[in-house]
Amino acid sequence: MSKEELLKNVASGRKISEYIEFIDNNDLIVYLFNMCEDKKNRLKYQAEKVIRELSIYNPKILYPYFERMLHFLNGDNKFLRYGFLLTMPNLLCVDLCNKWAYIRATYLKFYNSNNVIEFNNCVKGFKEIIKTHREEELIVIPILLDIDNHEFKTEKCNEIAKNTVLECFFNIYESSNHKEEIMKFVKDNINSNTPTIRNSVQRFLKKYDKI
């Protein structure tokens, strides 16, 4: 695929899955990053979505640009930041040089964010992080268990965040070193006033509560 063809696909809104396999060289990757970094480029958000999908489809090809992604976590464009918080954990499966050590402090601070989207996207990425860095449970699990004391802007945000935490626990429970604490947290929310939270609790208990 040429740069011109890639630009046409991005601009047209074509389904990413229909052309992602053809993004197979560094020139195209750099082109996508350049679009993201160009504040005047109206396609930067679509380019970010392509990079995000590529992190799942072919993390190896994005790995050389791991540090470059850190720029977006520190940048002032919150929408790009939201996307790269989801993307970066997908590269840890190929992190042979332990680049996580370089970016972890910046990434982990977003688990304390009062922006519910930043928080949620980090929580969604946690299952990928602990596949290769189980030790991060010691940092993150206590934060997730203490979600009721997390200061978001509204009660609705707290409810959304708690439901994301429950989904995370559903995904990591079998391999977690904190099963007892997680199970207690889930059961403590069995009578939640929020239907989505009650549903998530029931889903969890149906699969994991053997008593």
Side-chain angles (χ1 to χ4, degrees), residues 76-175:
D76 57 5
N77 189 315
K78 63 182 180 181
F79 298 106
L80 292 175
R81 181 163 62 251
Y82 297 158
F84 280 99
L85 286 170
L86 291 168
T87 294
M88 296 181 80
N90 294 331
L91 305 188
L92 295 180
C93 62
V94 295
D95 186 19
L96 299 179
C97 299
N98 193 25
K99 294 181 179 182
W100 173 248
Y102 175 69
I103 67 101
R104 71 177 293 275
T106 299
Y107 191 94
L108 292 178
K109 74 179 182 181
F110 289 103
Y111 285 101
N112 291 305
S113 175
N114 63 2
N115 178 316
V116 71
I117 302 176
E118 289 178 352
F119 176 84
N120 279 355
N121 286 3
C122 286
V123 175
K124 289 174 183 177
F126 188 55
K127 66 181 185 296
E128 299 301 325
I129 293 172
I130 61 172
K131 285 178 181 178
T132 52
H133 295 279
R134 176 65 56 182
E135 70 278 5
E136 302 299 2
E137 275 199 317
L138 295 173
I139 301 294
V140 176
I141 292 292
I143 297 173
L144 303 187
L145 292 171
D146 195 39
I147 188 64
D148 285 332
N149 293 314
H150 203 113
E151 295 185 1
F152 294 109
K153 294 181 179 179
T154 67
E155 183 59 31
K156 182 64 175 178
C157 288
N158 281 83
E159 293 172 357
I160 293 170
K162 180 177 281 190
N163 205 50
T164 304
V165 169
L166 286 164
E167 179 69 21
C168 174
F169 286 162
F170 182 86
N171 290 326
I172 71 170
Y173 183 76
E174 287 182 314
S175 63

Side-chain angles (χ1 to χ4, degrees), residues 17-117:
S17 59
E18 294 178 355
Y19 61 89
I20 196 168
E21 64 181 296
F22 303 110
I23 305 175
D24 56 3
N25 65 73
N26 289 332
D27 286 345
L28 296 180
I29 302 299
V30 170
Y31 190 57
L32 287 168
F33 275 101
N34 287 345
M35 278 195 276
C36 289
E37 292 168 348
D38 183 353
K39 292 184 178 182
K40 296 182 179 180
N41 194 321
R42 64 182 179 84
L43 297 177
K44 56 183 172 290
Y45 301 116
Q46 185 64 18
E48 179 277 313
K49 291 178 182 177
V50 175
I51 292 172
R52 196 190 319 168
E53 288 295 314
L54 196 58
S55 74
I56 299 170
Y57 181 81
N58 187 1
K60 285 185 178 180
I61 200 169
L62 280 179
Y63 182 62
Y65 306 93
F66 201 41
E67 294 98 326
R68 189 169 181 175
M69 295 180 189
L70 187 61
H71 162 78
F72 297 101
L73 298 193
N74 291 323
D76 57 5
N77 189 315
K78 63 182 180 181
F79 298 106
L80 292 175
R81 181 163 62 251
Y82 297 158
F84 280 99
L85 286 170
L86 291 168
T87 294
M88 296 181 80
N90 294 331
L91 305 188
L92 295 180
C93 62
V94 295
D95 186 19
L96 299 179
C97 299
N98 193 25
K99 294 181 179 182
W100 173 248
Y102 175 69
I103 67 101
R104 71 177 293 275
T106 299
Y107 191 94
L108 292 178
K109 74 179 182 181
F110 289 103
Y111 285 101
N112 291 305
S113 175
N114 63 2
N115 178 316
V116 71
I117 302 176

